[in-house]
Amino acid sequence: MIFKPHHAAFTVNNIKESVEWYKKYLGFKVTHEYSKHGGGRAIIERGDVRIELFDFGEATKPLPDYRRDLMEDLHVVGIKHLCIQVEDLDKMIQSLIKKGLTDIREVDTAGFGGRYTFIKDCSGILVELYEPERLPGKIEQI
Amino acid sequence: MKYSFHHGTLSVRDLLRSVAFYEQLNFRTVLNWEADDGSLQITHLKNGPFILELFCYAASVEPPDSIHSIITDLPVIGTKHLALEVDDINVARDDFIKKGIIADEIQITQGRTGISYFFIPDPDGILIEIVEDKREV
């Protein structure tokens, strides 16, 4: 059985606020938006990446404190984060700074090659941005 | 700039147990890393284009009980689950029942956005969504 990544699901503080945030900073498009049980739902997409957003209106519970810090969160058993591959991480970061995003983790090198950073969305959810290693010179397809 | 899905990360209690579980789902290990002091192990597993990154800390911290049920987990702000797409959800469900991963009362739900789905728990109770999406969007 072969799996394809279909989506990642995030519960957010407020759907409308999050849809605007993902449109503004990451250029996602909304493909579905509706209400259910007094809360909001939206599907946002860009390239191969699809995120399902939920809010539960007044019943939405706050982001646990441990999830605000990358290292603290990683120690806790459970689902941690979504990593989006981008073509040019430096260009991406420059664009985020220009748009006013300030909470951007210092770029680090991944143990398996490539470079990554983490940003926080408007609900405080950590999202990883990753650029694979760019090899010098030309790559010949064999 | 093109975006693509690179990986999803889980933090697990017992790396060998989790790797054995995801191998049952036809994932194969493509990378292992261990800190010199043994405090952290990282494994990458791959099935098709999907990379699953497993973190296993020697000093892992227990999550709140709410993560083990979709009803209690979903209202809490944060990353909730990863959804994996299969060609035929009935075949996937039968396969998971045969392997003892889910009970046969687990039903497939037809979602409001036109996809069908069900959830499976991994050995740490982390919920993974299995979906079939035949929409041409």
Side-chain angles (χ1 to χ4, degrees), chain A residues 43-58:
Chain A
I43 306 282
I44 56 171
E45 298 185 24
R46 181 167 170 175
D48 300 338
V49 182
R50 184 187 288 121
I51 303 174
E52 183 177 25
L53 302 173
F54 295 84
D55 84 28
F56 292 83
E58 286 178 5

Side-chain angles (χ1 to χ4, degrees), chain B residues 33-92:
Chain B
W33 178 89
E34 187 170 0
D36 291 340
D37 61 2
S39 60
L40 171 64
Q41 292 170 279
I42 302 173
T43 290
H44 281 190
L45 296 146
K46 216 170 170 187
N47 173 322
F50 185 80
I51 297 175
L52 193 59
E53 181 176 62
L54 302 182
F55 271 60
C56 184
Y57 283 93
S60 66
V61 175
E62 284 305 298
D65 287 342
S66 59
I67 76 150
H68 301 306
S69 154
I70 193 82
I71 294 164
T72 51
D73 184 49
L74 213 47
V76 184
I77 293 173
T79 314
K80 299 290 95 182
H81 52 261
L82 298 170
L84 305 180
E85 184 180 349
V86 292
D87 274 345
D88 187 328
I89 198 160
N90 290 296
V91 170

Side-chain angles (χ1 to χ4, degrees), chain A residues 12 34 101-102:
Chain A
V12 298
Y34 58 97
L101 198 73
T102 51

Side-chain angles (χ1 to χ4, degrees), chain A residues 17-100:
Chain A
E17 208 178 277
S18 291
V19 161
E20 288 311 311
W21 192 93
Y22 280 94
K23 273 159 64 172
K24 177 183 173 184
Y25 290 105
L26 297 181
F28 276 82
K29 284 186 181 154
V30 182
T31 55
H32 288 83
E33 195 170 0
Y34 58 97
S35 298
K36 194 176 176 184
H37 305 315
R41 305 282 188 272
I43 306 282
I44 56 171
E45 298 185 24
R46 181 167 170 175
D48 300 338
V49 182
R50 184 187 288 121
I51 303 174
E52 183 177 25
L53 302 173
F54 295 84
D55 84 28
F56 292 83
E58 286 178 5
T60 307
K61 294 180 178 165
L63 181 75
D65 283 343
Y66 71 83
R67 302 213 70 175
R68 294 183 183 279
D69 178 79
L70 176 65
M71 295 315 290
E72 200 180 334
D73 184 42
L74 279 171
H75 279 75
V76 181
V77 171
I79 180 161
K80 301 292 97 182
H81 53 260
L82 166 68
C83 174
I84 299 172
Q85 179 173 319
V86 298
E87 287 174 305
D88 187 327
L89 187 61
D90 295 326
K91 204 182 270 182
M92 181 86 206
I93 291 171
Q94 278 167 19
S95 143
L96 292 171
I97 293 170
K98 211 167 166 186
K99 289 173 186 171

